[in-house]
């Protein structure tokens, strides 16, 4: 029985295929082929098993930029009684556009064509650089930002599109499979809902040809839903977010998130950026990036902690908790000045709960362990928020249990903040 049952996450093999002339510029360890999904239950069922084949390989390839698809299904044997065999192709066809390539030769020909012709759709809204993995840029490090014209630089670009962007619907139909394969409980969005917005991240590579040709390769994307926000604003809700495995853990998720945040900041009609039901890894990414942003915000930090900038962009800390002697105490207290906080929250366009969590992290980072009054004020501030947030549950407990539960939650929140703080150091 076991030999006829394949794990669908292992059997499904994904590749991002580049034309041979685009592979020439890749580094030794730079490979975008043969990676696997994290989830296939939305396609092959809860058990993530495919029944009826021996040595099954479901080979699904994408042209690296255009995402044109090729599907080939191989196996060494099939179970004799044909009625019980799973229909792999038929099942997958419900989730991908059916105009995919079925022969390798035709697909590779198309990859060549797309490699020359494909350009991102929509408007470019953000770009950044990384040192090429292939470069001899020793000491520059993969996450180092380089000038765009540095010969060791690889440029990454974020493009913004909507359903109205020509050809984008077709492009989205090719990329949406990644939502099912990598986001737990992810599902397809409806093309009938007109308002969706998208940001797509591409790697831009230069070929060693004269004249030099630039080519684009898909890295990941996010779909964003704009909500009307009374009376004349829009609240952006980041709904789906994925970076493909060959590009993960290199800071691209952070860069894509930053690009969306910068986009929200730049649009006067957008009031705030929120996130829909974030996965744990994404929550961490968001916390890390938001916290770094606030720490680097000299005005906010100076007002918040009664600190002064030394003129070189770095914030210099004055003695805290001894405000009487050194001048004004910062607005972050503790306790923090609520009106001041709300003013900044609106300006920074961060959602309420997230902003208050970040502020609590900042205060925790700056707490003087010998200042018991400050520690108490901080504890009360956090507990007040936790009480409001968990009101429905807490109100059902008697007072003693309620206080114990609040203290327990406060301690675990504090530990979690410390974990996030440690990540950015
Ligand atoms: C709203 C929603 O959609 S929630 C769903 C979110 N999406 C998913 O879960 C889909 C599957 N996962 C993914 O797409 C990705 O893993 C994401 C989006 C969660 C993260 O994307 P990444 O590009 O890997 O993020 P990024 O590289 O910025 O940070 C991830 C980790 O890499 C580390 N990292 C960042 N830069 C580098 C680098 N240059 N070298 C090594 N590690 C690095 C970070 O410190 C972080 O470490 P951690 O995982 O221990 O916290």
């Amino acid at each position: 029985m076991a030999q006829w049952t394949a794990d669908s996450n292992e059997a499904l093999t994904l590749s991002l295929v580049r034309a041979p002339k685009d592979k020439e510029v890749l580094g030794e360890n730079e490979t975008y082929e043969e990676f696997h999904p994290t989830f296939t239950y939305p396609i092959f069922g809860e058990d993530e098993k495919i029944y009826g084949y021996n040595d099954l390989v479901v080979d699904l390839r994408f042209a690296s930029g255009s995402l044109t698809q090729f599907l080939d299904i191989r196996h060494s044997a099939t179970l004799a009684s044909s009625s019980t065999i799973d229909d792999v192709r038929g099942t997958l066809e419900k989730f991908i556009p059916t105009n995919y390539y079925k022969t390798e030769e035709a697909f590779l020909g198309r990859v060549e064509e797309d490699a020359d012709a494909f350009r991102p759709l929509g408007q470019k809204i953000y770009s950044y650089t990384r040192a090429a993995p292939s470069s001899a840029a020793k000491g520059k490090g993969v996450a180092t930002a380089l000038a765009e014209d540095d010969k060791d630089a690889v440029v990454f670009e974020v493009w913004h599109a909507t359903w109205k962007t020509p050809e984008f619907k077709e492009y989205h139909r090719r990329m949406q499979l990644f939502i099912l394969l990598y986001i737990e409980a992810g599902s397809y969005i409806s093309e009938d809902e007109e308002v969706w917005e998208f940001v797509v991240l591409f790697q831009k590579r230069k070929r060693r040809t004269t004249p030099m040709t630039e080519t684009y390769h898909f890295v990941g994307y996010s779909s964003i839903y704009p909500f009307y926000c009374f009376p004349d604003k829009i609240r952006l809700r980041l709904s789906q977010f994925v970076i493909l495995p060959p590009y993960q853990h290199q800071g691209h998720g952070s860069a894509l998130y930053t690009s969306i945040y910068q986009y929200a900041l730049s649009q006067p009609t957008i009031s705030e950026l929120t996130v829909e039901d974030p996965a744990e890894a994404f929550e961490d990414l968001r916390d890390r990036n938001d916290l770094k942003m606030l720490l680097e915000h000299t005005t906010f930090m100076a007002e918040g902690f009664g600190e002064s900038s030394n003129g070189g962009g770095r914030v210099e800390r004055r003695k805290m908790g001894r405000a009487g002697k050194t001048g004004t105490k910062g607005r972050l207290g503790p306790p923090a000045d609520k009106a001041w906080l709300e003013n900044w929250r609106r300006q920074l366009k961060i959602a309420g709960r997230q902003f208050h969590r970040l502020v609590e992290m900042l205060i925790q980072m700056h707490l003087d362990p010998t200042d018991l009054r400050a520690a108490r004020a901080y504890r009360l501030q956090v507990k007040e928020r936790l009480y409001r947030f968990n009101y429905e549950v807490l109100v059902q407990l008697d007072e003693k249990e309620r206080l114990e539960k609040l203290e327990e939650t406060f301690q675990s929140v504090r530990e979690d903040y410390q974990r996030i703080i440690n990540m950015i150091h």
Side-chain angles (χ1 to χ4, degrees):
M1 168 82 174
Q3 67 166 337
W4 300 111
T5 308
D7 177 325
S8 51
N9 292 335
E10 278 170 31
L12 182 54
T13 306
L14 307 165
S15 307
L16 296 165
V17 184
R18 298 193 187 208
K21 57 197 168 204
D22 291 331
K23 284 190 190 164
E24 285 171 15
V25 297
L26 295 183
E28 256 173 53
N29 302 322
E30 222 182 328
T31 168
Y32 303 103
E33 296 180 18
E34 301 218 1
F35 51 100
H36 294 271
T38 313
F39 309 106
T40 42
Y41 68 86
I43 302 167
F44 295 110
E46 209 48 52
D47 293 342
E48 302 193 313
K49 298 272 184 273
I50 302 174
Y51 183 66
Y53 305 86
N54 228 332
D55 303 320
L56 178 69
V57 178
V58 183
D59 182 1
L60 180 60
R61 304 185 210 171
F62 298 78
S64 64
S66 67
L67 300 181
T68 298
Q69 294 166 356
F70 163 73
L71 174 63
D72 186 34
I73 298 167
R74 298 186 293 274
H75 44 74
S76 58
T78 52
L79 193 65
S81 56
S82 59
S83 61
T84 53
I85 288 179
D86 287 334
D87 175 10
V88 183
R89 188 176 292 276
T91 305
L92 251 178
E93 277 181 354
K94 294 186 191 128
F95 298 90
I96 59 174
T98 46
N99 61 354
Y100 64 82
Y101 281 82
K102 295 183 182 72
T103 62
E104 189 173 19
E105 201 186 339
F107 171 67
L108 293 177
R110 178 65 187 271
V111 167
E112 283 277 335
E113 282 171 31
D114 286 0
D116 292 328
F118 176 74
R119 289 288 171 272
L121 307 167
Q123 304 271 343
K124 184 170 87 173
I125 57 164
Y126 189 82
S127 75
Y128 60 96
T129 59
R130 291 278 189 270
S134 55
S135 76
K138 296 237 163 62
K140 288 182 179 173
V142 285
T144 313
L146 299 177
E148 281 207 20
D149 55 358
D150 188 314
K151 70 174 178 32
D152 290 325
V154 175
V155 178
F156 289 83
E157 292 182 357
V158 179
W159 288 67
H160 177 271
T162 67
W163 289 141
K164 294 200 182 91
T165 306
E167 296 174 46
F168 189 78
K169 265 191 183 154
E170 289 75 17
Y171 195 72
H172 181 265
R173 284 177 200 153
R174 297 196 290 273
M175 70 182 183
Q176 64 181 348
L177 184 70
F178 299 127
I179 299 301
L180 301 188
L181 301 184
Y182 293 105
I183 300 184
E184 190 157 20
S187 60
Y188 284 177
I189 59 173
S190 166
E191 289 180 12
D192 297 334
E193 278 183 296
E194 283 179 15
V195 291
W196 282 103
E197 295 183 30
F198 303 88
V199 286
V200 189
L201 175 59
F202 292 96
Q203 183 192 61
K204 184 162 92 175
R205 288 309 264 268
K206 293 171 195 148
R207 254 180 225 159
R208 292 192 195 117
T209 50
T210 329
M212 203 155 52
T213 312
E214 290 178 332
T215 61
Y216 287 88
H217 310 275
F218 177 88
V219 175
Y221 81 100
S222 176
S223 40
I224 301 168
Y225 196 89
F227 281 96
Y228 168 69
C229 185
F230 182 82
D232 56 356
K233 294 273 164 110
I234 287 161
R235 179 185 294 128
L236 283 190
R237 189 173 74 184
L238 199 156
S239 173
Q240 300 173 316
F241 190 103
V242 67
I243 298 290
L244 292 188
Y247 296 97
Q248 288 175 5
H249 292 284
Q250 297 160 45
H252 295 302
S254 296
L256 181 59
Y257 173 69
T258 303
S259 77
I260 299 168
Y261 178 63
Q262 293 297 337
Y263 172 74
L265 278 185
S266 74
Q267 305 291 308
T269 50
I270 297 174
S271 64
E272 67 180 41
L273 177 66
T274 66
V275 181
E276 179 183 346
D277 194 14
E280 228 169 80
F282 188 82
E283 250 180 355
D284 281 357
L285 181 149
R286 180 192 193 197
D287 286 349
R288 248 191 349 255
N289 285 284
D290 285 355
L291 192 58
K292 269 196 209 152
M293 184 277 293
L294 287 180
L295 283 166
E296 284 162 14
H297 199 301
T298 32
T299 318
F300 176 79
M301 290 299 286
E303 286 181 26
F305 288 110
E307 294 166 341
S308 61
S309 166
N310 64 7
R314 242 192 81 229
V315 172
E316 207 177 285
R317 248 188 98 196
R318 272 199 217 144
K319 290 231 162 53
M320 296 256 317
R322 297 188 188 113
K325 287 183 193 158
T326 53
T328 348
K329 191 174 164 187
R331 308 293 279 274
L332 281 169
D337 176 335
K338 286 187 180 159
W340 175 84
L341 274 185
E342 181 55 16
N343 196 18
W344 269 107
R345 189 194 71 74
R346 283 168 190 259
Q347 214 169 305
L348 295 167
K349 303 188 180 182
I350 302 177
R353 174 167 178 262
Q354 176 66 357
F355 187 65
H356 291 113
R357 288 180 64 250
L358 293 165
V359 159
E360 288 163 13
M361 287 179 215
L362 283 177
I363 298 174
Q364 185 165 313
M365 285 174 83
H366 286 75
L367 267 187
D368 175 352
T370 63
D371 188 343
L372 299 180
R373 267 187 52 198
R376 182 166 184 277
Y378 171 63
R379 196 168 62 238
L380 288 177
Q381 179 178 328
V382 178
K383 283 188 177 176
E384 187 188 322
R385 183 181 66 75
L386 291 173
Y387 183 76
R388 283 173 204 269
F389 190 69
N390 299 302
Y391 180 76
E392 309 262 297
V393 179
L394 289 171
V395 80
Q396 293 173 33
L397 305 176
D398 67 37
E399 197 183 339
K400 184 165 171 283
E401 281 177 323
R402 190 156 57 216
L403 292 176
E404 279 170 8
K405 190 83 206 146
L406 257 182
E407 176 63 21
E408 204 182 293
T409 315
F410 169 68
Q411 292 302 342
S412 74
V413 162
R414 227 169 56 144
E415 274 167 36
D416 199 47
Y417 287 170
Q418 200 52 51
R419 186 182 59 81
I420 294 155
I421 292 163
N422 293 343
M423 283 196 299
I424 63 164
H425 284 309

